[in-house]
Amino acid sequence: RKSVLNIKIVLTGLLVLSGLINLFLALYTVKRIRTKGAVAFIGLMICIMVYSLGYAYELHNVDIAGIKTALRIEYLGISFLAPLWLIIALQYTERNRILTPSVYALLFTIPLVTLVLHYTNDMHNLFYKDLSVDNSGPFSVVSITGGIWYYTNLAYMHLAGLTAIVLYLLWIFKNPGVYRKQGSIMIAAAISPIAGNGFFQAGLSPYGMDIIPFSLTISGILFAIALFRYRWLDLVPVARDKIIESMEDGVLVLDAEGRIVDSN
């Protein structure tokens, strides 16, 4: 029992640390609220924080009622991860024109339906066909049999994540210097939860745990590197191709420390 408690303490500590990292990044970004991608990034950080803290609560529940409550908390964050991640990628890679009000509505339709169906699942079982407690490991975890909307939401999340990765890949091949480094970090941040979910869905996660919140901790660290090392919200591309590349004179762009961050 003592070893199980120690494992739970360590895992909970990691999840709380993840939540604090994301809260800090959200608060830091508030100062740059007018930068493109900032609002969606703040929303993403808050959603990851809610997911992480909700899962920390889930790990300390041993009955199905408590686990259901924890899942409801988690899905306040999980439901909106996909559209926010994609919106950030679209805004950063200068595809803002795509984001019309109708597109925003379309992007958030599945998340809103997901939240409603999750909260009302006992009435229709469209999200979960069955929820039970698995006590075969050192501590209790939830065992899920997904319904049709569970897999619909899963497909949407993966599609949004992969689309964001493709957008960043196209961007880094097109842009030099610091923008390429920023894009590469954002790709790695998107790959981490997709890989974690893949392991979880394949039944390869330790003790049957949901390892996605832990993979999102890695994403949070990568976001911090992008923000503080490569100034992701301070050095955003502004119609680079149209402005810099069209100039006849040679141009070097330096940051505050005299490092070259762009050139034509």
Side-chain angles (χ1 to χ4, degrees), residues 18-74:
S18 174
L20 291 175
I21 289 173
N22 289 289
L23 177 60
F24 171 75
L25 294 178
L27 294 174
Y28 173 82
T29 307
V30 169
K31 296 185 295 183
R32 293 156 176 79
I33 196 70
R34 294 186 179 181
T35 306
K36 63 181 178 181
V39 174
F41 184 73
I42 291 170
L44 181 65
M45 294 301 98
I46 292 173
C47 286
I48 295 175
M49 178 189 70
V50 171
Y51 185 9
S52 298
L53 297 181
Y55 193 62
Y57 176 65
E58 180 184 330
L59 286 176
H60 288 272
N61 280 276
V62 295
D63 60 273
I64 194 64
I67 287 175
K68 282 184 176 181
T69 300
L71 285 169
R72 290 189 181 103
I73 295 171
E74 292 168 42

Side-chain angles (χ1 to χ4, degrees), residues 66-135:
I67 287 175
K68 282 184 176 181
T69 300
L71 285 169
R72 290 189 181 103
I73 295 171
E74 292 168 42
Y75 266 85
L76 290 172
I78 294 172
S79 301
F80 302 100
L81 293 178
L84 291 170
W85 218 301
L86 184 54
I87 288 167
I88 292 168
L90 287 167
Q91 291 179 330
Y92 179 80
T93 58
E94 300 202 303
R95 289 173 170 83
N96 299 55
R97 293 182 180 179
I98 297 175
L99 293 169
T100 62
S102 58
V103 170
Y104 274 114
L106 184 63
L107 288 174
F108 283 95
T109 296
I110 289 180
L112 289 171
V113 173
T114 294
L115 195 62
V116 171
L117 292 182
H118 187 277
Y119 270 66
T120 61
N121 186 70
D122 290 342
M123 299 169 60
H124 45 68
N125 293 326
L126 290 173
F127 201 85
Y128 299 126
K129 287 185 178 179
D130 183 61
L131 278 179
S132 59
V133 179
D134 182 0
N135 294 308

